Amino acid sequence: MGCPPDRAGEELRDLVSGCSREVLGTIRPRWAWRALALTLEENGVRLEGGLLLPGADLKRHLAGCQQAAIFCATLGAEMDALIRKNEQMDMGRALALDCCASAAVEALCDQIEGEIQGKFPGCFFPYRFSPGYGDLPLEVQGELLALLGPLLPPDSRIRDPDAGLEGLAGQRLLFALALDE
């Protein structure tokens, strides 16, 4: 929230602590992932199945990689509803909830990435890279979601790229990248 913990007053610490407990009681974490072969091309990275992810930044990030594991994660629509409800009543609390949800989804993504790494022992994993990072356009997230389509939870808003993953607290579409041994 822009304030180092050691400088936060008691009121702010209590707010964040309460919001953290509320977030943990509200979230319904779900995710899907899939490993795909990749080819570096002049204009970007082509994933198995034909999807071209344009841009030099992702291509540079994946130099030497033979495959990528794409994944998406959500804390659930309940989390988004809680934040929206609080936006109508108390923007400070809504901000604290959003910050706590962001921390929770990042922790979930760390867990997912660890599980994926366990499936590919001996592989190197660079940091996660998402649509909107560098010159990889945010608009590719719908096509990436289509690659995960059959694996997504049937009740998940993740299925709807028009819902705007970048605008929903607690939803992320990320890459965990595997380099062959």
Side-chain angles (χ1 to χ4, degrees):
M1 292 183 55
C3 180
D6 61 331
R7 293 178 133 174
E10 186 175 339
E11 185 178 340
L12 180 57
R13 286 195 307 271
D14 289 347
L15 172 65
V16 171
S17 178
C19 287
S20 294
R21 285 190 302 275
E22 192 169 0
V23 165
L24 292 174
T26 302
I27 60 175
R28 302 291 177 262
R30 294 183 300 284
W31 64 89
W33 73 275
R34 181 177 178 194
L36 299 166
L38 64 85
T39 306
L40 301 180
E41 296 186 359
E42 183 178 340
N43 295 326
V45 176
R46 189 165 306 276
L47 295 178
E48 176 184 341
L51 176 60
L52 178 65
L53 300 173
D57 294 334
L58 180 63
K59 182 178 173 181
R60 193 171 26 260
H61 182 71
L62 292 176
C65 292
Q66 304 300 312
Q67 56 187 325
I70 61 170
F71 71 90
C72 61
T74 183
L75 299 179
E78 301 86 355
M79 189 67 247
D80 296 313
L82 178 63
I83 292 170
R84 279 193 309 275
K85 175 181 145 190
N86 277 271
E87 286 172 345
Q88 303 304 313
M89 300 180 304
D90 182 346
M91 282 302 293
R93 182 170 182 72
L95 174 62
L97 287 165
D98 187 67
C99 290
C100 291
S102 292
V105 80
E106 287 304 321
L108 174 61
C109 289
D110 290 344
Q111 176 187 337
I112 296 163
E113 190 171 356
E115 288 180 23
I116 294 170
Q117 288 176 1
K119 306 255 185 216
F120 297 93
C123 290
F124 169 73
F125 285 80
Y127 62 87
R128 297 188 292 252
F129 200 100
S130 298
Y133 289 13
D135 60 359
L136 180 62
L138 200 53
E139 292 77 20
V140 302
Q141 63 189 8
E143 295 171 277
L144 288 167
L145 286 173
L147 292 173
L148 294 171
L151 304 172
L152 296 175
D155 63 341
S156 175
R157 287 186 70 192
I158 295 177
R159 291 182 164 277
D160 181 7
D162 293 330
L165 291 176
E166 73 284 358
L168 295 175
Q171 298 204 34
R172 300 287 188 267
L173 180 63
L174 299 147
F175 293 94
L177 304 159
L179 175 66
D180 286 349
E181 295 179 33

